[in-house]
Amino acid sequence: MFLKILLLSLLIPFCIAIDTVTANESLPDSGILLSKERNFALGFFSPISSRYRYLGIWYNKLLPEQTVVWVANRENPINDSSGALSMSSDGNLVLHASTDQNFPIWSTNVSLKGRNACKAQLLDSGNLVLVQNERIVWQSFDYPTDTMLPGIRLGLDLKNGFNRFLTSWRSADDPGIGDFSFKLNPTGSPQFFLYKGLIPYWRGNPWTPSVSPTIPQYLFRYTFTNTEDEIYYSFAVDDKSVITRTVVDNSGLLQSLNWDNGSRRWKQSWWAPKYPYGHCGPYSICNFNNVDAYECTCLPGYKPKSLMNWYFRHGSAGCVRKQQQTSMCRNREGFIKVAGVKLPDTSIASSMNKSMSSFGCEQLCLRNCSCKAFAISDFEMKGVYCLTWYGELMDMTEYRGGSDLYVRVDKIELGTFLLLLLALP
Ligand SMILES: *[C@@H]1O[C@H](CO)[C@@H](O)[C@H](O)[C@H]1NC(C)=O
Ligand SMILES: *[C@@H]1O[C@H](CO)[C@@H](O)[C@H](O)[C@H]1NC(C)=O
Ligand SMILES: *[C@@H]1O[C@H](CO)[C@@H](O)[C@H](O)[C@H]1NC(C)=O
Ligand SMILES: *[C@@H]1O[C@H](CO)[C@@H](O)[C@H](O)[C@H]1NC(C)=O
Ligand SMILES: *[C@@H]1O[C@H](CO)[C@@H](O)[C@H](O)[C@H]1NC(C)=O
Ligand SMILES: *[C@@H]1O[C@H](CO)[C@@H](O)[C@H](O)[C@H]1NC(C)=O
């Protein structure tokens, strides 16, 4: 009985504000903040074989693993247990250690209006929020580390020029900024890249209205938004028993993982890259399904730049025009459809805001002799969304459910293609 009362009295102070930090409160190295339903914990941790201390957020219930989803002081580890998270007099969250009491190791560093009390709260989504006057003034979801959780919006906030992206840890025991990042590139028409340093390592599908705004799939809802205010990708899960995250690891693997309650382990459900960016070179398509043949094939009207390289399966030099002496500029050229591909790199593409007809899109491309290809996708049933490419066509992949690409070809290629069509039974 006595023990019970003692336990209760120990529990009560925690129950009041287990998930928040307010003015004059401090979270020491030994402390822990739990979200309301105890899904996530905020506290200090050391990666596997590291003696450094970091402030981070991890899943609280998924034992025995400690899966960290966010780190505050990635680049400024604390080398002892003197770290403490507190609220500064201006309402910002600050992280101090014994080594530097004057200058914080990390801070939310937002300018706050007035002296109204702030509070910091760890939500059950894994988001740490700083709230002033019921308004979120800072959130960890705006500063993701290597992990994307449901609700995080990866991409650009165009109003304040803010790009949210993932960056890998440096190594399994160093959460510092590593080589790989998964980031929106808004140049041309928006698309996501996995970068190694500044170099594209893998590319996601470009944005088109047909993959927008919300694609319902089994358990998940994916959103890709492209407006004047923001361009972002996010996903949501309605079933609370589904625990999922997308992470870029320090070897450059981008993967989606689901928690398997039976084996108590993370299970991979999707991963990239299967082949790196530009694996087959310009004007060439990768096809992983054809096990017997070489995975690179040239677009219609193109041939391997070097047959020797092709024979030895080095595709990165790509393909060149078959008839280089035949102009493709107002010389009875046309388009050949390539069905079911990941559309080429859209950083050299331009897109039409407004819906137009598919004929209009074809004419738009035909009129401009530097236009190499076009693609159309349904635009809210009111017409089509038109994408046109002006430059080298890079990084296409054949896959079921891919888009149709219309490739500009000269009159000889077009003639041969039409003859072949006629010869079909
Ligand atoms: C925090 O501490 C200061 C000075 O010790 C005090 O004036 C203030 O009222 C305290 N604030 C809260 C919310 O307890
Ligand atoms: C921790 O870091 C500080 C500042 O870099 C240094 O002065 C101190 O010696 C370090 N302590 C240990 C135990 O390594
Ligand atoms: C806070 O932000 C300002 C301006 O954005 C910057 O100059 C300053 O270095 C930042 N301070 C910290 C501690 O990060
Ligand atoms: C996970 O497994 C535990 C037992 O190992 C069980 O108590 C719990 O209800 C399960 N959770 C879900 C969401 O299935
Ligand atoms: C697209 O929309 C933006 C903003 O509404 C506008 O500034 C731009 O001129 C438009 N571009 C085209 C090609 O219509
Ligand atoms: C063709 O399109 C490119 C890219 O949009 C543009 O820079 C160029 O001026 C256009 N040329 C003509 C003749 O319209």
Side-chain angles (χ1 to χ4, degrees), residues 82 309 327:
S82 67
N309 280 349
S327 165

Side-chain angles (χ1 to χ4, degrees), residues 228 351-354:
E228 278 163 56
S351 60
M352 290 303 293
N353 285 358
K354 293 188 292 276

Side-chain angles (χ1 to χ4, degrees), residues 41 65-66 93 109 112 120 131 143 184 234 247 300 318 333 342 391:
E65 288 189 48
Q66 185 189 48
L93 275 180
N109 201 16
L112 296 161
V131 182
Y143 301 87
L184 179 85
S234 75
V247 65
E333 69 273 17
K342 172 166 123 183

